[in-house]
Amino acid sequence: MHLGLTEPVRECQYNQICTRNSSPMENVGHTKKRSPQRKWQIFPGRNRFYCNGRLMMARQTGVFYLTLVLIIVTSGLFFTFDCPFLASNLTPAIPVVGGMLLIFVLGMLFRAGFTDPGVLPRATPDEAAFLERQMDATNGSSGPGYRPPPRIKEVVINGQTVKLKYCFTCKIFRPPRTSHCSLCDNCVERFDHHCPWVGNCVGKRNYRFFYLFILSLSFLTVFIFAFVITHVILRSNRTGFLSALKDSPARYPFTKGNCQMLSHITPRSQAGSKHSEVPISVDACVCALVSVWFVAMRACGFYRRWSAFLDGVGLTVLEVVVCFFSVWSIVGLSGFHTYLISSNQTTNEDIKGSWSTKRAKDNYNPYSHGNVLTNCCAALCGPLPPSLIDRRGLIQPDTPQPAPLSNGSSGYTTQLHTHMCDQEQCIQSTKFVLQAATTPLLHSGPVVIGRGGPPLSGKSSLGVTCSSLAPNQPSLPSSMPGLSCAGDMLALRDPETHCHHHHFVSPEETPSPPGPMPLTLPCTAHAGHLNPAQLYDPASQDSLHEDSVRGLVKLSSV
Amino acid sequence: MATEFHNLQELRHSASLANKVFIQRDYSEGTTCRFQTKFPSELDSRIERTLFEDTVKTLNNYYAEAEKIGGQSYLEGCLACATAYIIFLCMETRYEKVLKKIGSYIQEQNEKIYAPRGLLITDPIERGMRVIEISIYEDRASSGSSSGSSSTSGTSAR
């Protein structure tokens, strides 16, 4: 083959380029010093990150801020205008309990809103290629350009057949109970729903926070509602209910007359702050805000419908009624989620009726522990899995794009990953070479050139055979039929390290797949690289070898 | 050839990534983290079946321990809830502790068993707990014989 003669020369040149370009550690270090990028900055989903990757939310956060404002304003009004009266006339425990509830509600809201809900990282190119090959193998390969129908895997879980769908965005088979959120563009484990009120998806990792949020919010709402009513009643006991309502500062808010009247009635509060002269209008405002709270639309609807009734009876009554309905709705939501937790279902499953007996007589929920108490405990007190996307990890320049690390096991895995990346950079090519060497297809024309023979010959035939290969993006070595990918993988995902490979290749064969196929050709570089004394400068060879084996060596030395 | 044992010194000068095998999750018992113990054909010539299965079973046991719902996890959950989850700023969760144990176990396995056979296990947490990635390295040190052996193992793998 023509390769045989020109190979040695090219390899030398190639090797020099390789040496020059790939002191990946130097480049990495240099790049790192300049602008250490963190992984959240290149996160593929539609999320927003705050505090340098510590907090994570969905893209649309407007409704979250509305929730926050409503809660804070309502509670603020309650504490400012109702609590002084109640504290002095009933017990000071009321504002204390109210305060604790409020803090808990806000804490849970922030936790639910800012926590990673259980996003599954997208597949690395290797994995994606592996899965695609498996699917092709099982379904028979189709011609280029034809997209196979969505793939489904069936698994039997505790006796129930569950279908696992293939996610084309994330390139994985979704685990059971995982769903792809279209708003956030992520696959989320145990996906419940996307909640605009908390500004995030609700999934495995933040479901308990969401549940505790709505539960504590129900308590807070009921608490405020009850004590506002108590306040109105107490005052009306002193002035008479009708006059209290009639003089309801809903119409004449904050009038001096009202204040004086009230202060006259409540001698104890006279010595107190003037806040004790609470106009009942504030109570009405509180009720109104609470009512608007999670049922804004409904409140508007009610208002329109009842506007005629309003004039007659007064806003106060309406507000109490609407407040009651809003309390009912948030309490209803808590009740619904309590049911979901006790039966270990997600909102998604309940809406679809996945485990309903209406679908099939012997349909049952395979995830339920069988016992209501166990289900509740598991959902609320079970172990909290760590985040699978390493938001704050530093990006290594040669890191394969979707290659997340866990937040928990930072040290070892980071180190390992770094080493893996270093070596992968250099060795991925070799893998293709080897695959080329080992493929029956390529055995057709092997030319042995020292050690680099088989790979090189493989490459040449690769150029021929691989033109129509799997439309895959993997630029990293994948398994077997990566042979096909090997051929395709001529383009370089990582120009700084691979460009030379490309140069090397182009004279020999037309890079068959133009842009889209990231091809890694580096094989030949390493092929040469692996011919120890024959064609190379030992120093460069050593450095490359070091890089490529770094992972293994470091592993042993740690 | 395929079962040649190399120490890391030899590999240092001659390892190159040949292939990757992905061990998928086993969902037959629900959504808890388990990996399939089915022995992949690509590793047929590289490592003994029992060693591989032991590794995967031990990993499965570790994950089961991490996700176990029992007295300790309830206690941790209630304590965390009572402190509004602030306590997790000070201490790490049981899951994270087990993940560290898993990390050191995998490292130990790599050093003792897999690296000498030219294999490398990647911690599943780096792959989103979806797969156990085993990288297969071809030994290039034994030049001619290696190319011969690699092609042979290649064909045998097919």
Side-chain angles (χ1 to χ4, degrees), chain A residues 123-142 146-148 151 166-173 469-474 478-479 481 485, chain B residues 22 24:
Chain A
T124 56
D126 287 340
E127 268 180 79
F130 182 79
L131 284 178
E132 293 236 356
R133 279 195 305 272
Q134 277 195 331
M135 290 194 296
D136 283 343
T138 48
N139 301 310
S141 44
S142 352
Y146 168 69
R147 191 182 202 179
R151 296 296 166 209
Y166 181 75
C167 180
F168 280 99
T169 313
C170 304
K171 303 218 182 329
I172 56 171
F173 275 98
L469 275 197
N472 223 322
Q473 54 293 57
S478 33
S479 38
C485 295
Chain B
F22 296 94
Q24 303 288 331

Short mmCIF file of all heavy atoms in Angstrom, two decimals, chain A residues 123-142 146-148 151 166-173 469-474 478-479 481 485, chain B residues 22 24:
data_model
loop_
_atom_site.label_atom_id
_atom_site.label_comp_id
_atom_site.label_asym_id
_atom_site.label_seq_id
_atom_site.Cartn_x
_atom_site.Cartn_y
_atom_site.Cartn_z
N ALA A 123 -25.71 11.99 28.27
CA ALA A 123 -24.75 10.91 28.05
C ALA A 123 -23.46 11.44 27.46
O ALA A 123 -23.47 12.37 26.66
CB ALA A 123 -25.36 9.86 27.14
N THR A 124 -22.37 10.84 27.87
CA THR A 124 -21.10 11.16 27.22
C THR A 124 -21.15 10.61 25.80
O THR A 124 -21.92 9.69 25.53
CB THR A 124 -19.92 10.52 27.97
OG1 THR A 124 -20.14 9.12 28.06
CG2 THR A 124 -19.78 11.10 29.36
N PRO A 125 -20.34 11.13 24.92
CA PRO A 125 -20.37 10.65 23.55
C PRO A 125 -20.15 9.14 23.44
O PRO A 125 -20.80 8.48 22.63
CB PRO A 125 -19.22 11.41 22.89
CG PRO A 125 -19.09 12.66 23.69
CD PRO A 125 -19.46 12.29 25.09
N ASP A 126 -19.30 8.62 24.30
CA ASP A 126 -19.07 7.17 24.28
C ASP A 126 -20.33 6.40 24.57
O ASP A 126 -20.68 5.44 23.88
CB ASP A 126 -18.07 6.78 25.37
CG ASP A 126 -16.68 7.20 24.99
OD1 ASP A 126 -16.46 7.42 23.79
OD2 ASP A 126 -15.84 7.29 25.89
N GLU A 127 -20.97 6.81 25.63
CA GLU A 127 -22.20 6.11 26.02
C GLU A 127 -23.24 6.20 24.93
O GLU A 127 -23.93 5.23 24.62
CB GLU A 127 -22.80 6.78 27.25
CG GLU A 127 -22.39 6.23 28.57
CD GLU A 127 -23.07 7.01 29.67
OE1 GLU A 127 -24.25 6.73 29.90
OE2 GLU A 127 -22.44 7.91 30.25
N ALA A 128 -23.37 7.39 24.37
CA ALA A 128 -24.39 7.58 23.34
C ALA A 128 -24.11 6.67 22.16
O ALA A 128 -25.02 6.03 21.61
CB ALA A 128 -24.41 9.05 22.91
N ALA A 129 -22.84 6.59 21.79
CA ALA A 129 -22.48 5.73 20.67
C ALA A 129 -22.76 4.27 21.00
O ALA A 129 -23.29 3.52 20.18
CB ALA A 129 -20.99 5.91 20.34
N PHE A 130 -22.43 3.88 22.20
CA PHE A 130 -22.66 2.51 22.64
C PHE A 130 -24.14 2.16 22.56
O PHE A 130 -24.53 1.12 22.04
CB PHE A 130 -22.13 2.37 24.07
CG PHE A 130 -22.25 1.01 24.66
CD1 PHE A 130 -21.36 0.01 24.33
CD2 PHE A 130 -23.26 0.70 25.57
CE1 PHE A 130 -21.45 -1.26 24.89
CE2 PHE A 130 -23.37 -0.55 26.12
CZ PHE A 130 -22.47 -1.53 25.79
N LEU A 131 -24.96 3.07 23.05
CA LEU A 131 -26.40 2.82 23.03
C LEU A 131 -26.94 2.77 21.62
O LEU A 131 -27.77 1.92 21.28
CB LEU A 131 -27.14 3.89 23.82
CG LEU A 131 -27.06 3.78 25.33
CD1 LEU A 131 -27.80 4.94 25.98
CD2 LEU A 131 -27.64 2.47 25.82
N GLU A 132 -26.44 3.67 20.80
CA GLU A 132 -26.92 3.68 19.42
C GLU A 132 -26.56 2.39 18.71
O GLU A 132 -27.34 1.83 17.95
CB GLU A 132 -26.32 4.87 18.66
CG GLU A 132 -26.81 6.20 19.17
CD GLU A 132 -27.45 7.05 18.07
OE1 GLU A 132 -27.42 6.61 16.90
OE2 GLU A 132 -27.97 8.12 18.38
N ARG A 133 -25.37 1.92 19.00
CA ARG A 133 -24.97 0.66 18.37
C ARG A 133 -25.84 -0.47 18.84
O ARG A 133 -26.25 -1.33 18.06
CB ARG A 133 -23.51 0.37 18.70
CG ARG A 133 -22.54 1.12 17.81
CD ARG A 133 -21.18 0.52 17.93
NE ARG A 133 -20.74 0.47 19.31
CZ ARG A 133 -20.10 1.44 19.93
NH1 ARG A 133 -19.82 2.55 19.28
NH2 ARG A 133 -19.72 1.30 21.17
N GLN A 134 -26.13 -0.46 20.12
CA GLN A 134 -27.00 -1.52 20.65
C GLN A 134 -28.36 -1.47 19.98
O GLN A 134 -28.93 -2.49 19.62
CB GLN A 134 -27.19 -1.34 22.15
CG GLN A 134 -26.07 -1.92 22.96
CD GLN A 134 -26.46 -2.04 24.41
OE1 GLN A 134 -27.28 -1.27 24.90
NE2 GLN A 134 -25.88 -2.99 25.09
N MET A 135 -28.86 -0.25 19.80
CA MET A 135 -30.18 -0.13 19.20
C MET A 135 -30.13 -0.56 17.75
O MET A 135 -31.02 -1.23 17.25
CB MET A 135 -30.67 1.32 19.30
CG MET A 135 -31.00 1.70 20.73
SD MET A 135 -31.94 3.20 20.87
CE MET A 135 -30.82 4.41 20.23
N ASP A 136 -29.07 -0.18 17.08
CA ASP A 136 -28.94 -0.58 15.68
C ASP A 136 -28.84 -2.09 15.58
O ASP A 136 -29.42 -2.71 14.69
CB ASP A 136 -27.67 0.03 15.06
CG ASP A 136 -27.89 1.50 14.74
OD1 ASP A 136 -29.07 1.90 14.69
OD2 ASP A 136 -26.91 2.22 14.54
N ALA A 137 -28.11 -2.65 16.52
CA ALA A 137 -27.93 -4.09 16.48
C ALA A 137 -29.25 -4.81 16.67
O ALA A 137 -29.55 -5.79 16.00
CB ALA A 137 -26.92 -4.52 17.54
N THR A 138 -30.04 -4.30 17.60
CA THR A 138 -31.29 -4.99 17.86
C THR A 138 -32.33 -4.72 16.79
O THR A 138 -33.18 -5.54 16.51
CB THR A 138 -31.89 -4.56 19.22
OG1 THR A 138 -31.87 -3.15 19.30
CG2 THR A 138 -31.07 -5.14 20.37
N ASN A 139 -32.25 -3.55 16.20
CA ASN A 139 -33.30 -3.21 15.25
C ASN A 139 -32.89 -3.32 13.81
O ASN A 139 -33.69 -3.08 12.92
CB ASN A 139 -33.79 -1.79 15.52
CG ASN A 139 -34.30 -1.66 16.92
OD1 ASN A 139 -35.11 -2.46 17.35
ND2 ASN A 139 -33.81 -0.68 17.65
N GLY A 140 -31.65 -3.64 13.58
CA GLY A 140 -31.18 -3.70 12.20
C GLY A 140 -30.84 -2.31 11.73
O GLY A 140 -31.58 -1.36 11.95
N SER A 141 -29.69 -2.17 11.12
CA SER A 141 -29.28 -0.82 10.75
C SER A 141 -30.06 -0.34 9.55
O SER A 141 -30.33 -1.09 8.61
CB SER A 141 -27.79 -0.78 10.48
OG SER A 141 -27.42 -1.88 9.71
N SER A 142 -30.41 0.89 9.62
CA SER A 142 -31.14 1.48 8.51
C SER A 142 -30.18 2.30 7.68
O SER A 142 -29.07 2.60 8.12
CB SER A 142 -32.25 2.36 9.04
OG SER A 142 -32.36 2.20 10.42
N TYR A 146 -31.95 7.96 7.75
CA TYR A 146 -33.23 7.49 8.27
C TYR A 146 -33.15 7.43 9.78
O TYR A 146 -32.26 6.81 10.34
CB TYR A 146 -33.56 6.12 7.70
CG TYR A 146 -34.71 5.44 8.41
CD1 TYR A 146 -36.00 5.93 8.28
CD2 TYR A 146 -34.50 4.33 9.22
CE1 TYR A 146 -37.05 5.32 8.93
CE2 TYR A 146 -35.55 3.72 9.86
CZ TYR A 146 -36.83 4.22 9.72
OH TYR A 146 -37.87 3.61 10.36
N ARG A 147 -34.04 8.08 10.42
CA ARG A 147 -34.01 8.07 11.88
C ARG A 147 -34.92 6.97 12.38
O ARG A 147 -36.11 6.96 12.11
CB ARG A 147 -34.50 9.41 12.39
CG ARG A 147 -34.23 9.52 13.87
CD ARG A 147 -34.76 10.80 14.38
NE ARG A 147 -34.09 11.15 15.62
CZ ARG A 147 -34.32 12.25 16.31
NH1 ARG A 147 -35.19 13.11 15.84
NH2 ARG A 147 -33.70 12.49 17.42
N PRO A 148 -34.37 6.08 13.13
CA PRO A 148 -35.19 4.96 13.61
C PRO A 148 -36.27 5.47 14.55
O PRO A 148 -36.11 6.50 15.18
CB PRO A 148 -34.20 4.06 14.36
CG PRO A 148 -32.95 4.84 14.52
CD PRO A 148 -32.98 5.98 13.57
N ARG A 151 -36.95 4.48 20.54
CA ARG A 151 -36.65 3.17 21.08
C ARG A 151 -37.27 3.01 22.45
O ARG A 151 -37.32 3.92 23.23
CB ARG A 151 -35.14 2.99 21.19
CG ARG A 151 -34.45 3.01 19.86
CD ARG A 151 -34.90 1.86 19.02
NE ARG A 151 -34.51 2.04 17.63
CZ ARG A 151 -35.19 1.54 16.61
NH1 ARG A 151 -36.28 0.86 16.81
NH2 ARG A 151 -34.77 1.74 15.40
N TYR A 166 -36.38 6.13 25.18
CA TYR A 166 -35.09 6.71 24.86
C TYR A 166 -35.27 8.21 24.69
O TYR A 166 -36.14 8.66 23.96
CB TYR A 166 -34.56 6.08 23.57
CG TYR A 166 -33.21 6.60 23.15
CD1 TYR A 166 -32.06 6.19 23.82
CD2 TYR A 166 -33.07 7.48 22.09
CE1 TYR A 166 -30.81 6.66 23.44
CE2 TYR A 166 -31.83 7.95 21.70
CZ TYR A 166 -30.70 7.53 22.38
OH TYR A 166 -29.47 7.99 22.01
N CYS A 167 -34.45 8.97 25.39
CA CYS A 167 -34.56 10.43 25.28
C CYS A 167 -33.58 10.89 24.21
O CYS A 167 -32.37 10.72 24.35
CB CYS A 167 -34.21 11.06 26.63
SG CYS A 167 -34.32 12.85 26.61
N PHE A 168 -34.12 11.50 23.16
CA PHE A 168 -33.24 11.91 22.07
C PHE A 168 -32.41 13.13 22.43
O PHE A 168 -31.37 13.36 21.82
CB PHE A 168 -34.07 12.20 20.81
CG PHE A 168 -34.45 10.95 20.08
CD1 PHE A 168 -35.70 10.39 20.24
CD2 PHE A 168 -33.54 10.31 19.26
CE1 PHE A 168 -36.05 9.22 19.58
CE2 PHE A 168 -33.87 9.14 18.59
CZ PHE A 168 -35.13 8.59 18.76
N THR A 169 -32.87 13.90 23.39
CA THR A 169 -32.08 15.06 23.76
C THR A 169 -30.90 14.67 24.62
O THR A 169 -29.78 15.11 24.41
CB THR A 169 -32.95 16.06 24.55
OG1 THR A 169 -34.18 16.23 23.89
CG2 THR A 169 -32.24 17.38 24.71
N CYS A 170 -31.18 13.83 25.60
CA CYS A 170 -30.12 13.47 26.54
C CYS A 170 -29.38 12.21 26.10
O CYS A 170 -28.37 11.85 26.71
CB CYS A 170 -30.70 13.24 27.93
SG CYS A 170 -31.63 14.65 28.54
N LYS A 171 -29.88 11.54 25.10
CA LYS A 171 -29.25 10.36 24.54
C LYS A 171 -29.09 9.24 25.58
O LYS A 171 -28.06 8.59 25.66
CB LYS A 171 -27.89 10.70 23.93
CG LYS A 171 -27.99 11.77 22.86
CD LYS A 171 -27.04 11.48 21.74
CE LYS A 171 -27.05 12.54 20.64
NZ LYS A 171 -28.28 13.24 20.39
N ILE A 172 -30.09 9.06 26.37
CA ILE A 172 -30.07 7.95 27.33
C ILE A 172 -31.44 7.30 27.33
O ILE A 172 -32.42 7.89 26.89
CB ILE A 172 -29.79 8.45 28.76
CG1 ILE A 172 -30.82 9.52 29.18
CG2 ILE A 172 -28.39 9.00 28.90
CD1 ILE A 172 -30.73 9.90 30.63
N PHE A 173 -31.45 6.08 27.83
CA PHE A 173 -32.74 5.47 28.13
C PHE A 173 -33.15 5.98 29.50
O PHE A 173 -32.41 5.82 30.47
CB PHE A 173 -32.62 3.94 28.15
CG PHE A 173 -32.76 3.34 26.79
CD1 PHE A 173 -31.64 2.98 26.06
CD2 PHE A 173 -34.01 3.12 26.23
CE1 PHE A 173 -31.77 2.42 24.79
CE2 PHE A 173 -34.14 2.57 24.96
CZ PHE A 173 -33.02 2.23 24.25
N LEU A 469 -20.80 6.06 7.89
CA LEU A 469 -21.03 5.52 9.18
C LEU A 469 -21.95 6.23 10.08
O LEU A 469 -22.41 7.30 9.86
CB LEU A 469 -19.73 5.29 9.86
CG LEU A 469 -19.38 3.95 9.32
CD1 LEU A 469 -18.35 3.39 10.15
CD2 LEU A 469 -20.56 3.07 9.37
N ALA A 470 -22.14 5.56 11.16
CA ALA A 470 -23.10 6.02 12.16
C ALA A 470 -22.97 7.51 12.38
O ALA A 470 -21.89 8.01 12.64
CB ALA A 470 -22.88 5.29 13.47
N PRO A 471 -23.99 8.19 12.27
CA PRO A 471 -23.97 9.64 12.44
C PRO A 471 -23.78 9.97 13.89
O PRO A 471 -24.67 10.43 14.55
CB PRO A 471 -25.36 10.06 12.01
CG PRO A 471 -26.19 8.86 12.27
CD PRO A 471 -25.31 7.65 12.13
N ASN A 472 -22.62 9.67 14.34
CA ASN A 472 -22.47 9.90 15.75
C ASN A 472 -21.48 10.94 16.11
O ASN A 472 -20.53 11.15 15.43
CB ASN A 472 -22.12 8.61 16.45
CG ASN A 472 -22.95 8.58 17.67
OD1 ASN A 472 -23.14 9.55 18.26
ND2 ASN A 472 -23.47 7.50 18.02
N GLN A 473 -21.70 11.51 17.20
CA GLN A 473 -20.84 12.59 17.63
C GLN A 473 -19.65 12.16 18.45
O GLN A 473 -18.83 12.96 18.78
CB GLN A 473 -21.62 13.59 18.44
CG GLN A 473 -22.36 12.97 19.61
CD GLN A 473 -23.45 12.07 19.13
OE1 GLN A 473 -23.18 11.14 18.38
NE2 GLN A 473 -24.65 12.31 19.55
N PRO A 474 -19.60 10.93 18.84
CA PRO A 474 -18.55 10.63 19.80
C PRO A 474 -17.17 10.95 19.27
O PRO A 474 -16.78 10.49 18.23
CB PRO A 474 -18.67 9.13 20.05
CG PRO A 474 -19.65 8.64 19.10
CD PRO A 474 -20.38 9.78 18.52
N SER A 478 -15.31 4.76 21.58
CA SER A 478 -16.44 4.01 22.10
C SER A 478 -16.12 2.57 21.88
O SER A 478 -15.04 2.24 21.42
CB SER A 478 -17.71 4.40 21.39
OG SER A 478 -17.41 4.74 20.06
N SER A 479 -17.05 1.74 22.20
CA SER A 479 -16.66 0.34 22.10
C SER A 479 -16.75 -0.18 20.69
O SER A 479 -16.79 0.55 19.74
CB SER A 479 -17.50 -0.49 23.05
OG SER A 479 -18.81 0.01 23.08
N PRO A 481 -18.10 -1.42 17.65
CA PRO A 481 -18.37 -0.91 16.32
C PRO A 481 -17.92 0.52 16.24
O PRO A 481 -18.18 1.21 15.32
CB PRO A 481 -19.89 -1.01 16.21
CG PRO A 481 -20.30 -1.94 17.26
CD PRO A 481 -19.22 -2.01 18.27
N CYS A 485 -17.28 4.11 13.97
CA CYS A 485 -17.12 5.46 14.44
C CYS A 485 -15.72 5.92 14.19
O CYS A 485 -15.48 7.08 13.93
CB CYS A 485 -17.42 5.53 15.93
SG CYS A 485 -19.12 5.14 16.27
N PHE B 22 -19.92 -0.63 28.82
CA PHE B 22 -20.81 0.05 29.75
C PHE B 22 -21.73 -0.96 30.40
O PHE B 22 -22.53 -1.60 29.72
CB PHE B 22 -21.63 1.12 29.02
CG PHE B 22 -20.79 2.22 28.45
CD1 PHE B 22 -20.35 2.17 27.14
CD2 PHE B 22 -20.44 3.31 29.21
CE1 PHE B 22 -19.57 3.18 26.61
CE2 PHE B 22 -19.67 4.33 28.68
CZ PHE B 22 -19.23 4.27 27.39
N GLN B 24 -24.90 -1.61 32.31
CA GLN B 24 -26.13 -0.83 32.49
C GLN B 24 -26.78 -1.10 33.84
O GLN B 24 -26.43 -2.05 34.55
CB GLN B 24 -27.12 -1.17 31.36
CG GLN B 24 -26.57 -0.94 29.98
CD GLN B 24 -26.45 0.52 29.65
OE1 GLN B 24 -27.19 1.35 30.14
NE2 GLN B 24 -25.49 0.85 28.81
#
